[in-house]
């Protein structure tokens, strides 16, 4: 095996010939690989972990109320930029193009809802909060076309691309595109930790600072709960916090999510990958680690500029092994949440669960399209008629994985206000006006088409064939 130094110099010369990417991308990539080969310690010393205090992870209820004066609120909002991470494709849900153009409710997409929310904010307070979309090379062209439809809105929309890095061939550490893989398969976007250098490299960061903007609110475009919150913005400006991560109480569904810890006097993100094997079960428990990262992040723009220019954002590297045409490749990624430890006066805020409503699968789509939620001014709001704090657990079989198949199997989305859990598997079709309550399991036998009739009310039922209806 070549020594690490030899690997890096070989990599540098190979990367120098990749004309598809910019100089800053080449440098960023080589630096990332050098750090990876340098084998910086990823794991934490378990005994040094401390539970953060309320000063470090601030309970949402203790935040000061927002100013009642509209002019004061306008001043706050004029310091804000909203940035949505828009690099993901809808492929896991069987859709082509950016995930943010999947229709969520009433024919409106994720992006439509985001634009409506910010439009209403700008109209209500007479402010100009811009929207930034960070695309990847996978979503850039489609997104450019899509944002044209918002050209008449009262909102400035800017798009920029995150970095494009070459996948690394595991055997010899040569970039895949250097071996003739020049199509999209040869490249990857290096995770959302790249948002900070990409903001700077795109010129967007300096442009925003010159307009007097101070904070960016970063969130995943598929999190319907990630809406602008004045109390949080007000708190950060008053307390000069350079970075804030929204966390929320863990449920059994969130056991893999990263958590905030106090470590050697700093607040930092602890991800499952950094946990020594013997402590994984403890990490997943709800007793010791009670909160997890929603990936709603509020960050001071001047601080981003300072840290990116000093090349100080050295987040933990997440190695992601893949295979392209039988060739084993590696893509090295970083996460934006892991940057928390580099910022001054960084905090977490323990927010209500309503600020975390991601749509990762059609089971989530079922929740947000049902009567469990209503749509008001672009905001997806939970129906107060549901008294249980937790959402029902929904388990849909592979027949429902793709959005088109999911939609075709429901004549209308059932009422689930009183549902605890739903399991559906096999060739099941739902009529209109169905009500589901308690625990419902519908599993069609192999080769049997099972149709649930219009208006059926199923309460605590297990259905395996028409005879059980």
């Amino acid at each position: 095996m070549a020594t690490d130094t030899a690997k890096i110099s070989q990599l540098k010369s190979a990367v120098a010939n990749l004309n598809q990417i910019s100089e800053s991308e080449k440098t960023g990539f080589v630096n990332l690989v050098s750090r990876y080969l340098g084998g910086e310690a990823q794991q934490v010393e378990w005994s040094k972990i401390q539970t953060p205090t309320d000063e470090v992870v601030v309970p949402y209820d203790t935040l000061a109320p927002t100013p009642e004066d509209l002019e004061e609120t306008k001043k706050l909002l004029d310091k804000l930029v909203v940035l949505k991470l828009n690099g993901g494709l809808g492929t896991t849900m069987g859709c082509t193009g950016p995930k943010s153009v999947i229709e969520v409710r009433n024919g409106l997409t994720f992006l439509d809802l985001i634009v409506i929310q910010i439009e209403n904010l700008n109209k209500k307070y007479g402010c100009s909060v811009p929207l930034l979309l960070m695309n990847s090379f996978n979503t850039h062209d489609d997104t450019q076309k899509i944002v044209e439809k918002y050209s008449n809105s009262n909102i400035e929309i800017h798009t920029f691309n995150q970095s494009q890095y070459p996948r690394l061939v595991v055997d010899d550490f040569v970039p895949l595109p250097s071996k003739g893989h020049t199509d999209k398969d040869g490249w990857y976007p290096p995770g959302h930790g790249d948002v900070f250098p990409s903001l700077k490299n795109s010129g967007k960061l300096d442009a925003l600072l010159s307009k007097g903007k101070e904070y960016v609110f970063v969130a995943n475009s598929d999190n319907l709960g990630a809406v602008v919150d004045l109390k949080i913005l007000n708190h950060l400006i008053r307390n000069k916090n350079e970075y804030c991560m929204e966390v929320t109480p863990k449920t059994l569904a969130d056991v893999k999510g990263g958590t905030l810890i106090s470590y050697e006097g700093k607040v930092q993100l602890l991800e499952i990958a950094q946990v020594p094997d013997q402590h994984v079960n403890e990490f997943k428990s709800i007793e010791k680690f009670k909160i997890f990262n929603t990936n709603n992040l509020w960050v001071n723009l001047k601080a981003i500029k300072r840290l990116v220019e000093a090349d100080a954002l050295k987040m933990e590297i997440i190695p992601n092994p893949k295979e392209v045409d039988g060739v084993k490749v590696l893509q090295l990624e970083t996460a934006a949440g892991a940057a928390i430890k580099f910022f001054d006066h960084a905090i977490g805020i323990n927010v209500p669960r309503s600020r975390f409503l991601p749509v990762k699968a059609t089971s989530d789509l079922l929740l947000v399209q049902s009567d469990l939620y209503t749509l008001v001014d672009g905001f997806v709001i939970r129906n107060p008629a549901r008294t249980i704090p937790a959402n029902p657990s929904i388990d849909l079989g592979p027949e429902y994985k793709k959005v088109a198949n999911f939609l075709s199997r429901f004549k209308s989305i059932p009422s689930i206000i009183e549902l605890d859990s739903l399991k559906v598997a096999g060739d099941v079709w739902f009529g209109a006006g169905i009500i589901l309550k308690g625990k419902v399991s519908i599993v069609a036998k192999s080769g049997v088409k099972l149709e649930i009739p219009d208006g059926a009310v199923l309460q605590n039922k297990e259905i395996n064939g028409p005879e059980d209806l």
Side-chain angles (χ1 to χ4, degrees):
M1 281 297 275
T3 65
D4 289 350
T5 327
K7 273 185 187 169
I8 287 295
S9 65
Q10 173 195 325
L11 184 69
K12 271 185 181 162
S13 51
V15 168
N17 296 320
L18 297 174
N19 303 326
Q20 300 94 323
I21 57 175
S22 67
E23 290 307 314
S24 56
E25 285 169 314
K26 292 176 186 179
T27 312
F29 175 66
V30 171
N31 287 348
L32 190 62
V33 178
S34 310
R35 280 209 298 132
Y36 174 72
L37 286 175
E40 290 176 14
Q42 302 285 321
Q43 288 199 339
V44 293
E45 268 186 66
W46 202 251
S47 58
K48 289 185 177 175
I49 291 177
Q50 290 178 311
T51 304
T53 62
D54 282 0
E55 276 82 66
V56 180
V57 175
V58 182
Y60 184 81
D61 301 343
T62 66
L63 300 182
T66 45
E68 286 180 11
D69 181 13
L70 283 181
E71 194 48 43
E72 285 301 303
T73 306
K74 177 187 184 308
K75 274 186 197 159
L76 276 180
L77 285 168
D78 278 335
K79 296 177 177 179
L80 182 68
V81 181
V82 173
L83 190 159
K84 298 290 179 176
L85 301 169
N86 191 49
L89 293 165
T91 36
T92 47
M93 292 169 76
C95 298
T96 52
K99 187 177 177 187
S100 56
V101 300
I102 292 176
E103 287 187 8
V104 183
R105 202 174 161 122
N106 303 12
L108 298 168
T109 66
F110 289 105
L111 213 46
D112 292 337
L113 296 176
I114 291 162
V115 169
I116 293 167
Q117 288 163 15
I118 299 178
E119 270 188 327
N120 285 327
L121 204 61
N122 286 344
K123 198 156 75 191
K124 183 174 177 182
Y125 296 105
C127 53
S128 57
V129 175
L131 170 64
L132 267 73
L133 300 172
M134 181 169 86
N135 302 321
S136 64
F137 60 88
N138 289 317
T139 60
H140 173 261
D141 293 350
D142 287 336
T143 304
Q144 292 304 88
K145 291 192 198 93
I146 291 153
V147 295
E148 283 172 15
K149 77 175 194 183
Y150 307 119
S151 56
N152 295 332
S153 67
N154 66 355
I155 158 179
E156 263 185 59
I157 301 179
H158 301 269
T159 59
F160 67 101
N161 266 12
Q162 75 174 109
S163 305
Q164 174 173 336
Y165 284 177
R167 286 174 160 158
L168 269 179
V169 178
V170 172
D171 283 349
D172 54 10
F173 259 68
V174 170
L176 193 57
S178 307
K179 300 192 159 190
H181 264 275
T182 46
D183 58 357
K184 279 187 174 174
D185 285 348
W187 307 90
Y188 75 99
H192 46 59
D194 183 57
V195 65
F196 305 118
S198 294
L199 254 180
K200 174 83 180 65
N201 295 337
S202 65
K204 297 291 178 198
L205 183 60
D206 287 332
L208 293 165
L209 284 167
S210 71
K211 287 183 175 170
K213 303 297 176 190
E214 290 180 24
Y215 277 86
V216 59
F217 172 38
V218 179
N220 297 350
S221 61
D222 65 3
N223 178 7
L224 295 169
V227 300
V228 170
D229 187 294
L230 287 164
K231 278 170 77 167
I232 295 177
L233 179 62
N234 186 38
H235 182 88
L236 303 179
I237 290 172
R238 283 171 60 166
N239 293 282
K240 298 189 168 50
N241 303 109
E242 288 189 345
Y243 186 110
C244 164
M245 174 187 288
E246 292 184 41
V247 293
T248 197
K250 235 188 211 184
T251 67
L252 290 170
D254 317 303
V255 290
K256 289 183 175 166
T259 192
L260 282 183
I261 56 171
S262 288
Y263 191 79
E264 298 182 330
K266 282 242 170 205
V267 58
Q268 76 176 58
L269 181 67
L270 176 65
E271 297 271 19
I272 195 162
Q274 296 160 268
V275 176
D277 289 347
Q278 67 270 33
H279 294 292
V280 166
N281 284 343
E282 196 181 340
F283 175 82
K284 286 181 173 178
S285 84
I286 299 179
E287 280 71 55
K288 178 162 182 176
F289 299 105
K290 295 185 167 70
I291 51 172
F292 76 98
N293 169 23
T294 63
N295 217 39
N296 298 349
L297 311 169
W298 301 72
V299 195
N300 180 282
L301 293 169
K302 278 188 181 147
I304 296 174
K305 183 175 165 75
R306 180 186 81 235
L307 291 167
V308 170
E309 286 178 349
D311 194 23
L313 294 175
K314 298 190 187 309
M315 282 89 89
E316 286 77 15
I317 295 169
I318 307 154
N320 189 351
K322 300 262 180 185
E323 207 167 285
V324 178
D325 298 339
V327 179
K328 286 190 167 55
V329 295
L330 190 59
Q331 45 189 61
L332 302 177
E333 303 173 10
T334 62
I340 189 166
K341 63 181 177 190
F342 301 106
F343 288 83
D344 293 338
H345 310 297
I347 58 168
I349 293 182
N350 194 345
V351 298
R353 181 75 186 202
S354 58
R355 294 191 55 75
F356 184 66
L357 185 59
V359 178
K360 301 290 180 199
T362 50
S363 51
D364 301 319
L365 216 44
L366 174 64
L367 291 174
V368 299
Q369 292 186 350
S370 74
D371 57 353
L372 204 53
Y373 289 93
T374 50
L375 195 59
V376 183
D377 294 339
F379 298 98
V380 178
I381 306 212
R382 202 159 181 270
N383 188 337
R386 177 157 178 106
T387 48
I388 310 159
N391 277 342
S393 83
I394 310 278
D395 177 4
L396 301 177
E399 300 78 7
Y400 290 81
K401 189 172 158 67
K402 293 183 173 176
V403 174
N405 297 352
F406 160 81
L407 292 172
S408 67
R409 287 177 177 271
F410 286 98
K411 214 188 262 183
S412 73
I413 301 290
S415 164
I416 58 173
I417 295 266
E418 294 177 54
L419 179 70
D420 295 325
S421 65
L422 171 67
K423 179 181 169 60
V424 183
D427 191 12
V428 181
W429 298 76
F430 288 80
I434 292 168
I435 299 173
L436 304 175
K437 300 179 178 189
K439 291 185 166 65
V440 178
S441 167
I442 306 168
V443 180
K445 296 186 185 82
S446 180
V448 176
K449 181 178 182 179
L450 186 52
E451 298 187 43
I452 311 297
D454 293 356
V457 178
L458 307 179
Q459 182 162 9
N460 296 320
K461 282 208 107 160
E462 205 169 302
I463 293 163
N464 297 107
E467 64 282 0
D468 299 326
L469 281 163

